[in-house]
Amino acid sequence: MPGAALPGRPGNLTKEQELRLQDMWTATLKVFDVSAFNDGTKGDAASIRASENAAHAGTVGLEKKKKKRVNLFSRKHHDDAGTEDAETVSETEGNDKYGQTKEFHKVLESQSPEAIRTAFWTMVKHDNPDGLLLRFLRARNWNVQNALIMLISTMHWRMQGMHVDDDIVRRGEGGALEDSASSNAPTKKEGHDFLTQMRLGKSFLHGTDKEGRPITFVRVKLHKQGEQSEASLERFTVYTIETARLLLSSNVDTADYGPVKFMIKVFEANYPESLGVVIVHKSPWIFQSVWKLIRGWLDPVVAGKVHFTKNVEELAEFVERSHIITELGGDDSWTYQYVEPIAGENKLLSDGVTRQRLLDERAAVVKDYETTTQQWIRDPHSADALQQKRSELTKRLRTGYWELDPYLRARTLYDRTGIIREGGQIQYYGSPNSTTHSEATHNSIQNGPLPPEHRADDLD
């Protein structure tokens, strides 16, 4: 079960890692155009390109030759923190797997700083803002420039690519049900295909592993190539990952190449450091050759998280046997059953007045957090007191999000069945399968869940 924070997470940073986090905040706030640092650099594309040409951000490899960091990716009083040579850290030197550098510049030229800022804080949800930035830093080996490129590209992907928050999360299963009854044939098919995957239980969330991480099951045998459209497969994948974020993490038991490639891309490029471990259970012998191909697509760090198990004894090395479902040979008698959306369960999404009031309250906390973060970076003598204030503001952001949640997010299967419960509890075990809608569950749906208790780095 989760204990102390893992290295490189909030509450367990080395001094150098903390400096990298502060540099990341400095660069991020400049892109948002809310920074109070007067070093002559703005968050526009021209200034960022100039800073890229002038210098590159450092990594935590302190044994490497030290250089000076400047402009967007550093602060003057941390000039000696150290960097690697430009050719080893630049995303533009052939190491940009998903073309994020080009996308990064495109975003800065086409999107306002406020739009990017809004996308970031929308993505934060109930998460720890430090924890979110640290995931991007760890995914890019603590290189601030490359982490910022990845972060801003992800914001663009969420806003303009997948429309994660304004469509997939906001409309959810209820929206798919509406679409499945549409007179427009393409819309009807997309809604039907999405719900088919939900009803089959092609992928679902249940239980935790020995580290306390929620488990995402992917039943590969239920996937038949061509049965659902590519768009519905991608939508279902993102929906599952976003729902998993509410339960803390994604842990996949997986493998048609199109869906696999998409899953790899979103985890590596858009949900960095959000995958704990991948368990491929009882894979057929032919998968060994398939795995050689898939492994070549993976970042080595991600590939190292993939484990193969042949029986329940091997699976029990990762998950307590009492938490392994009987479908996989374990002792947990829980079975997946899809509960259809309830009429009126998303009525709070129409309450624009309350939503705006709560958004305004959250905006004030966000502003206070950003201001306090700037003070924390600039005033090392008051760092402890300011970090304490930042921690308190993080709690307010988390609590405030869950009050706002039912006005932003359509209810999910996990709200309807009481896994996400009122009062801040996530309950997998010891509760019966929910095939009826009790009054308690109904009230939970209307009020929205409260935040679960978990360690500081929410999604690991």
Side-chain angles (χ1 to χ4, degrees), residues 253-264:
D253 171 355
T254 134
D256 167 352
Y257 289 154
V260 170
K261 279 188 173 180
F262 181 76
M263 290 173 69
I264 291 170

Side-chain angles (χ1 to χ4, degrees), residues 13 56 58 64 108 115 132 139 155 164 170 173 180 185 188 231 263 300 333 391 446:
L13 299 177
H56 296 276
K64 300 290 185 178
L108 296 181
L132 183 59
M155 298 305 101
V164 175
R170 181 172 176 80
E173 298 161 37
S180 69
K188 182 174 182 176
M263 290 173 69
S333 60
S391 296
Q446 298 305 315

